[in-house]
Amino acid sequence: MAFTLTDEFKQRAEKICARYPRRDAALIPLLLELQREAGYVAEEAMDALSGYLGLPYSRVKAVVTFYTMFNRVPAGKYHLQVCRNISCHMAGAPGLLAALRARLGIEEGETTKDGLFTLSAVECLGACGDAPVLQVNEDYFGRVTAEKLDVLLEDLKHGKYPSTR
Ligand code: FES
């Protein structure tokens, strides 16, 4: 499938590139922009971005496959990523994952039928001091309890994106 970077994207991309000493340093922010537009980063989008930045496709793909924040297939409006590493595991991450599976009726890697939620278990999010940590799209929610999770899910279902503070 042909994929073209839109003029709007290119305008935003130029502003982002201008913040960095080298254009290739803008790779991750630009991938996030692409993901915001489409909900995921398709192979064709990686290809288009590699041409735009003058980078090898393999480098773009390596970044997208390394970071779990990038979706390579269409994801729900809210991508719920539960950290499963040791600090979060000991602070209750398995219970959070189980609660999310039960509440949403999906397993990890799946998306709810209404397209609202995708669930993933991911490696350390680098916020171990706030374990257990849940990432929703690009935002972190720390010290998540069952009660906080209920409130968060209800807010998201009703289109209210909660503050991370
Ligand atoms: S172990 Fe969960 S954020 Fe590091």
Side-chain angles (χ1 to χ4, degrees), residues 83 85-88 124-128 133:
C83 172
N85 274 174
I86 189 70
S87 298
C88 290
C124 181
L125 292 166
C128 318
V133 179

Side-chain angles (χ1 to χ4, degrees), residues 21-86:
R22 291 174 19 189
R23 286 172 73 77
D24 62 345
L27 176 57
I28 288 178
L30 293 184
L31 285 168
L32 286 170
E33 280 294 317
L34 284 174
Q35 179 158 283
R36 270 185 218 114
E37 276 187 357
Y40 73 114
V41 186
E43 298 277 339
E44 297 79 6
M46 292 181 223
D47 197 29
L49 190 60
S50 76
Y52 183 72
L53 288 176
L55 291 173
Y57 172 79
S58 57
R59 181 162 162 208
V60 178
K61 180 141 188 180
V63 168
V64 172
T65 51
F66 180 79
Y67 291 106
T68 54
M69 64 187 169
F70 293 118
N71 307 317
R72 282 179 286 155
V73 292
K77 182 175 180 185
Y78 302 114
H79 187 187
L80 309 178
Q81 300 170 73
V82 179
C83 172
R84 63 178 166 201
N85 274 174
I86 189 70

Side-chain angles (χ1 to χ4, degrees), residues 12-25:
R12 289 200 306 279
E14 285 310 310
K15 286 185 188 152
I16 291 169
C17 286
R19 294 182 207 146
Y20 298 92
R22 291 174 19 189
R23 286 172 73 77
D24 62 345

Side-chain angles (χ1 to χ4, degrees), residues 125-157:
L125 292 166
C128 318
D130 283 331
V133 179
L134 168 67
Q135 184 174 350
V136 181
N137 297 346
E138 293 167 35
D139 295 312
Y140 282 15
F141 295 83
R143 300 175 198 266
V144 181
T145 60
E147 295 74 27
K148 277 190 184 176
L149 190 63
D150 281 344
V151 172
L152 177 65
L153 285 179
E154 284 310 306
D155 281 350
L156 294 174
K157 278 182 187 168

